[in-house]
């Protein structure tokens, strides 16, 4: 099992380039099920989750390979309608094949994802929507078994704005009969990216990125040739690493407009941020100021940046209140940050972080993708050595994070 070892205390300086967005690439890969033929996705990040999705699509009978930053997906023939537990348990986003498979094949058998470290994460809203579109759904042996003739357009109201729920139903509706309206839909930029990919295939979609999305079903879609947006969470993660080390970093190949809430909040801590259309310059302050955050659906402060911001607040001047409103158990990083000397108290969905002078390196354990990113950030700022175990969590969402940080002066290495 790989570990990452960091000797902290270096101010990061230099330039770092952002990869394509994991949470846009995953639904767009699933959308290729709807476009029989050769689908090409560019700016695809090289991540464990992406290769897991590729293996799952190959299991369904599709051709899949990556070359020169592109994913090539041959979806002429689908020979299986089953997404087995082995894939779904390693990556919940496997559930994104449910909508497109059911729409194209009239049947889909997808393992229930089960819970994960950050919460129960049910998919009841995905199932509710597909039932409204005429699917018959039974649950047995831990699998969702969905059957439908031609799906019918329907008006679907989400009790909670669910990202992958909105994506699954947008894909299913794109070749259903009639009009589907998604109400209280999630508005994340990755949803707009998926809608743009589907529109490039011939889908008729309006309102993606707002709470009301209208999809007029068409008979069939052509293969896609689409470029994924930059990863706004990777962008936020490296902005935070520069801020906590008092560094001076240029972040390129990014889209600042996708991370406005985070950038504004980071600016309130005294971090100096300027940006153009596809780059951000960030300068960490002598002394960070504590700021409160509450995670909210987009365009609010993203839950996927909560752990990273908490690491930053552990060495800020003052006290920061961090409230997690999206997931019920997304404070797994607190115990690990405490091992490094952080002063954090959790009560219900709020963590109270009292800034300390500095953190001390220690052996810590990654528990989920973004918690592991917060431990890297803390390790970069801590005095002494931090060793992070279970590094496979990091590799799910960050393309060779140590190779991206080394050129900025970080003393970081992977220990196999
Ligand atoms: C997506 O997960 C992201 N994953 C997550 O990123 C992200 O944290 C999350 O959205 C919130 O922004 C991908 O896009 C692949 P939700 P998703 O459905 O779609 C509840 C990362 O770090 N809910 O928007 O699974 C749910 O329990 C990952 O890259 C239901 O109750 O999240 C949660 O409390 C982690 N029933 C809330 O809604 C449902 O049917 C939001 O979940 C669906 C969701």
């Amino acid at each position: 099992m790989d570990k990452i070892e960091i000797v902290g205390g270096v101010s990061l300086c230099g330039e770092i380039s952002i990869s394509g967005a994991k949470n846009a690439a995953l639904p767009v890969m699933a959308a290729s099920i709807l476009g029989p033929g050769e689908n090409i996705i560019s700016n695809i990040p090289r991540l464990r989750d992406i290769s897991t999705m590729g293996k799952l699509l190959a299991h369904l009978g599709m051709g899949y390979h990556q070359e020169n930053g592109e994913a090539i997906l041959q979806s002429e023939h689908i020979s299986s309608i089953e997404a087995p537990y082995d894939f779904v348990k390693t990556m919940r986003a496997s559930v994104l094949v449910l909508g497109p498979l059911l729409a194209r094949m009239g049947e889909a058998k997808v393992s229930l994802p089960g819970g994960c470290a950050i919460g129960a994460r049910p998919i009841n809203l995905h199932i509710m929507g597909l039932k409204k579109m005429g699917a018959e759904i039974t649950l047995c042996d831990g699998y969702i078994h969905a059957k439908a003739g031609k799906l019918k357009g329907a008006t679907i109201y989400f009790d909670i704005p669910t990202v992958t729920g909105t994506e699954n139903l947008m894909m299913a509706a794109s070749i259903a009969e009639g009009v589907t309206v998604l109400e209280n839909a999630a508005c994340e930029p990755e949803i707009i990216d998926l809608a743009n990919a589907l529109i490039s295939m011939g889908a008729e979609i309006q309102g993606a990125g707002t709470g009301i999305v209208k999809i007029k079903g068409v008979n069939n879609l052509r293969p896609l040739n689409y470029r994924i947006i930059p990863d706004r969470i990777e962008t936020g993660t490296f902005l935070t690493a520069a801020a906590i080390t008092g560094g001076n970093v240029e972040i390129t190949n990014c889209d600042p407009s996708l991370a406005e809430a985070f950038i504004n909040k980071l600016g309130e801590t005294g971090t100096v941020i300027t940006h153009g259309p596809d780059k951000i310059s960030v300068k960490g302050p002598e002394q960070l100021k504590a700021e409160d955050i509450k995670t909210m659906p987009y365009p609010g402060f993203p839950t996927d940046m909560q752990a990273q911001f908490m690491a930053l607040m552990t060495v800020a001047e003052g006290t920061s209140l961090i409230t997690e409103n999206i997931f019920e158990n997304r404070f797994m990083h607190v115990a690990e940050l405490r091992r490094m000397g952080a002063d954090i108290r959790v009560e219900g969905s709020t963590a109270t972080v009292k800034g300390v002078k500095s953190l001390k390196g220690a052996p810590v354990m990654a528990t989920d993708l973004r918690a592991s990113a917060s431990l890297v950030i803390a390790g970069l700022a801590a005095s002494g050595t931090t060793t992070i175990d279970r590094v496979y969590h990091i590799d799910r969402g960050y393309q060779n994070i140590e190779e991206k940080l080394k050129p900025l002066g970080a003393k970081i290495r992977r220990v196999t």
Side-chain angles (χ1 to χ4, degrees):
M1 186 113 57
D2 285 0
K3 293 181 192 240
I4 279 197
E5 189 184 86
I6 303 171
V7 178
V10 175
S11 292
L12 302 182
C13 282
E15 190 174 301
I16 192 164
S17 170
I18 296 300
S19 304
K22 166 177 84 81
N23 291 349
L26 292 170
V28 171
M29 288 173 80
S32 63
I33 293 171
L34 297 168
E38 179 170 89
N39 293 264
I40 300 171
I41 305 175
S42 52
N43 198 30
I44 197 111
R46 283 199 319 283
L47 302 169
R48 279 169 65 100
D49 275 7
I50 299 298
S51 53
T52 301
M53 180 62 87
K55 286 179 193 142
L56 170 57
L57 295 175
H59 174 85
L60 300 176
M62 289 172 56
Y64 168 73
H65 71 280
Q66 273 204 28
E67 61 184 20
N68 326 318
E70 288 186 339
I72 323 290
L73 297 131
Q74 282 293 354
S75 61
E76 200 69 55
H77 304 291
I78 302 278
S79 53
S80 164
I81 51 98
E82 181 170 329
Y85 181 52
D86 282 356
F87 288 104
V88 183
K89 76 180 177 194
T90 49
M91 186 185 66
R92 331 172 30 75
S94 308
V95 75
L96 283 166
V97 303
L98 176 61
L101 262 184
L102 181 61
R104 175 171 169 181
M105 308 300 286
E107 188 178 5
K109 223 177 149 206
V110 175
S111 166
L112 274 166
C116 83
I118 62 179
R121 301 181 73 184
I123 57 168
N124 57 308
L125 299 174
H126 302 229
I127 292 169
M128 173 277 296
L130 292 172
K131 276 183 176 168
K132 285 216 165 174
M133 296 179 74
E136 269 168 53
I137 296 188
T138 52
L139 304 183
C140 59
D141 309 331
Y143 278 76
I144 300 159
H145 192 179
K147 279 186 169 177
K150 188 128 175 86
L151 289 171
K152 303 256 181 309
T155 295
I156 297 161
Y157 172 77
F158 292 116
D159 299 335
I160 307 173
T162 157
V163 173
T164 48
T166 301
E167 291 166 344
N168 239 334
L169 288 151
M170 198 158 73
M171 289 189 278
S174 55
I175 58 170
E177 206 168 277
V179 175
T180 297
V181 180
L182 304 180
E183 296 180 340
N184 197 25
C187 306
E188 272 67 6
E190 292 75 27
I191 288 178
I192 300 173
D193 214 26
L194 172 63
N196 290 337
L198 288 165
I199 290 166
S200 78
M201 299 168 79
E204 294 183 25
I205 301 174
Q206 291 168 337
T210 73
I212 308 272
V213 184
K214 279 196 180 73
I215 306 107
K216 186 171 175 300
V218 295
N219 286 331
N220 46 53
L221 297 176
R222 50 183 177 270
L224 59 83
N225 188 334
Y226 192 74
R227 180 177 177 77
I228 298 294
I229 54 172
D231 194 314
R232 62 191 168 99
I233 306 299
E234 187 191 23
T235 302
T237 302
F238 290 134
L239 281 172
T240 310
I244 199 170
T245 58
N248 204 334
V249 173
E250 181 100 340
I251 296 185
T252 59
N253 287 328
C254 63
D255 179 349
S257 70
L258 304 179
E260 276 175 12
F262 178 74
I263 288 172
N264 293 338
K265 187 49 82 169
L266 190 59
E268 287 168 23
T269 67
T271 305
V272 178
I273 302 167
T274 53
H275 61 78
D278 64 354
K279 63 171 71 169
I280 305 175
S281 301
V282 50
K283 194 169 176 354
E286 281 299 306
Q287 174 59 58
L288 287 156
K289 265 177 16 26
E291 282 298 327
D292 298 344
I293 58 162
K294 291 180 173 22
T295 65
M296 300 298 279
Y298 194 87
F301 189 97
T303 173
D304 290 349
M305 279 305 304
Q306 178 258 106
Q308 298 91 314
F309 193 80
M310 184 184 289
L312 187 72
M313 290 296 98
T314 62
V315 290
E317 189 176 39
T319 299
S320 159
L321 295 180
I322 294 181
T323 306
E324 172 56 55
N325 292 313
I326 307 294
F327 291 111
E328 65 269 29
N329 185 31
R330 204 170 197 174
F331 285 144
M332 307 282 277
H333 40 287
V334 168
E336 302 306 309
L337 290 170
R338 277 204 198 109
R339 289 177 49 75
M340 300 174 72
D343 178 350
I344 309 172
R345 198 164 33 82
V346 174
E347 260 168 66
S349 61
T350 298
T352 303
V353 185
K354 272 208 183 70
V356 295
K357 199 96 196 71
S358 84
L359 297 174
K360 264 190 72 44
V364 289
M365 190 167 74
T367 50
D368 59 87
L369 166 53
R370 305 305 173 182
S372 49
S374 84
L375 297 177
V376 169
I377 288 165
L380 290 168
S383 59
T385 302
T386 299
T387 313
I388 304 172
D389 203 350
R390 301 194 178 175
V391 161
Y392 58 85
H393 287 293
I394 298 182
D395 296 336
R396 295 190 49 185
Y398 294 90
Q399 185 173 312
N400 343 316
I401 195 164
E402 73 276 13
E403 295 315 318
K404 285 202 174 185
L405 287 169
K406 270 182 198 157
L408 301 183
K411 290 182 186 151
I412 180 170
R413 69 188 182 111
R414 185 175 290 253
V415 180
T416 302

